[in-house]
Amino acid sequence: MMWVVCADVVRDDDEHCLPGSAGRVGEESLCVRRIPDGGMSGRTIAALAAVMVGVLFMAACQPAVNVSRVPAVRTGLPLAPKDPPLLPVDASGKPMHPSVAEGAKVFSKAQCLICHGPEGLGNGPAAGNLKSPGKNLLTDFWALFGIRATGEQLPSRPANFHNLVQMRLNSPFNMYETVTRGRPNTAMPYFGPKPAYGAATFGVKLTDEDRWNVIFFEWAFTTSPAQVARGKQIYEAQVVPIHGQGLTCADCHGVAGDGRGRVGLDIAKKRWNWARGMGPGIFTDVNLIAQRKPTDLFQVTQDGLDDMPSYRGVLSDDDIWAVVSYIWTFIYTYSQAPK
């Protein structure tokens, strides 16, 4: 219950004059007015608001919580199963090793050379007359009513597999997807089970193995036997001072690209993915390498990443590209690669 002083006269039991406060005529009397329970003055509200602001301020300024004594995460938990390989596997579960020689046969059988040319330069006999199929949402809408219409058929040029800028910004898996589902709104048809929306139809179907073989045949146009041989020599024999010792690429990544080099075994004790034979730095991991662009491998080699040192200023750009070309041979068979 609260009391406030007021200038008034006594009216009822809720208001009481202070003793001797009754004044003369024309004078106000000082009274104490009782405020019913639950009421609140403006001054009280302001005080409570100040307290709340202070509490929020203190909460925001709390020091960091010390978690040094929190029990360690329980070890021994099973790791998630490995992702299934992107490439077809044999009876033992081992991924296929695409072959340039087999891919050359597919390139001819599927008549890829009609558009891309026998050397993959994009200058086949049909290259100058290729157009997109003219399929779009509007033509499909009219087809619902039995009206056959064709959209604008734009000129379409086949890919030139010798274009290093284009190929180095691509990945084997992207090329596989293109061969499998076609490239929408271009003349590139699909060769897999079903097309992407807007892709052209050619009438030739290829098995999964054929599609992987042919894209690595196309991939091989970006390099040469001399470049692959140079990359192999640098990878296996060129000693570079790293972390106070002279090492080759193979000392970490392994002669077979599996991370089983003499230093790679120590790295595997720190990095769980190396212990499992997968992930960055394991060049036999087909899922990783098939989805990487050459520019990805070049940049990591040049600038370094985590345990990977930087080779900027140690190897020339041409030498790094040679190593990158050789790295791809860990997941496909380059027929002219040195043994």
Side-chain angles (χ1 to χ4, degrees):
M1 182 178 297
M2 298 179 60
W3 299 85
V4 295
V5 178
C6 60
D8 204 343
V9 296
V10 178
R11 295 180 179 175
D12 52 36
D13 292 338
D14 288 338
E15 296 179 1
H16 304 276
C17 286
L18 293 175
S21 63
R24 296 181 298 271
V25 177
E27 292 183 355
E28 294 181 340
S29 60
L30 294 177
C31 299
V32 177
R33 176 175 297 169
R34 185 178 64 183
I35 297 179
D37 291 341
M40 186 177 295
S41 70
R43 184 175 298 174
T44 304
I45 294 174
L48 289 175
V51 170
M52 290 299 296
V53 171
V55 170
L56 292 174
F57 179 81
M58 293 299 294
C61 296
Q62 287 296 310
V65 178
N66 182 4
V67 296
S68 60
R69 296 183 181 180
V70 175
V73 176
R74 187 156 52 96
T75 58
L77 295 175
L79 294 173
K82 293 183 179 180
D83 292 332
L86 292 174
L87 279 63
V89 298
D90 58 22
S92 66
K94 184 178 179 181
M96 69 172 289
H97 211 66
S99 165
V100 170
E102 292 300 315
K105 298 176 184 177
V106 177
F107 194 81
S108 177
K109 178 182 71 174
Q111 303 179 56
C112 304
L113 51 83
I114 292 178
C115 299
H116 295 283
E119 299 298 323
L121 290 167
N123 60 350
N129 299 317
L130 295 176
K131 292 184 178 180
S132 63
K135 176 183 174 67
N136 55 49
L137 292 173
L138 184 59
T139 61
D140 284 353
F141 174 76
W142 288 120
L144 295 175
F145 302 95
I147 301 174
R148 299 182 61 181
T150 301
E152 184 179 7
Q153 293 183 287
L154 301 174
S156 180
R157 294 290 300 179
N160 174 4
F161 303 123
H162 295 261
N163 185 332
L164 291 182
V165 174
Q166 171 185 289
M167 295 295 286
R168 286 171 176 175
L169 291 172
N170 213 336
S171 73
F173 184 72
N174 284 343
M175 295 178 65
Y176 167 81
E177 284 279 273
T178 298
V179 172
T180 299
R181 305 197 65 198
R183 186 178 291 276
N185 304 311
T186 71
M188 176 63 194
Y190 75 101
F191 291 87
K194 57 183 181 180
Y197 179 77
T201 300
F202 186 57
V204 176
K205 297 292 190 297
L206 297 175
T207 65
D208 209 10
E209 290 83 355
D210 282 347
R211 280 174 270 141
W212 279 110
N213 282 325
V214 77
I215 67 103
F216 274 104
F217 168 73
E218 297 162 355
W219 191 263
F221 286 123
T222 64
T223 188
S224 67
Q227 187 181 43
V228 172
R230 175 61 176 157
K232 177 180 172 67
Q233 187 274 328
I234 295 171
Y235 182 91
E236 294 182 351
Q238 184 158 330
V239 177
V240 176
I242 299 171
H243 303 317
Q245 56 181 326
L247 298 173
T248 65
C249 301
D251 284 332
C252 293
H253 297 282
V255 173
D258 55 4
R260 298 299 179 183
R262 62 184 180 91
V263 179
L265 297 177
D266 293 331
I267 297 176
K269 296 176 182 178
K270 301 186 300 180
R271 300 178 65 87
W272 67 269
N273 63 294
W274 278 54
R276 299 187 80 191
M278 60 181 288
I282 306 296
F283 304 133
T284 51
D285 181 354
V286 295
N287 283 16
L288 176 87
I289 300 301
Q291 296 184 79
R292 288 294 178 273
K293 296 178 289 188
T295 49
D296 294 337
L297 299 179
F298 179 92
Q299 183 176 10
V300 170
T301 303
Q302 187 174 65
D303 296 330
L305 181 67
D306 296 332
D307 292 324
M308 175 70 184
S310 169
Y311 282 80
R312 185 182 292 273
V314 178
L315 295 178
S316 68
D317 287 0
D318 288 343
D319 283 347
I320 294 177
W321 281 122
V323 172
V324 170
S325 290
Y326 176 65
I327 285 173
W328 292 106
T329 66
F330 290 123
I331 68 166
Y332 83 104
T333 302
Y334 182 61
S335 55
Q336 300 181 40
K339 303 298 182 183

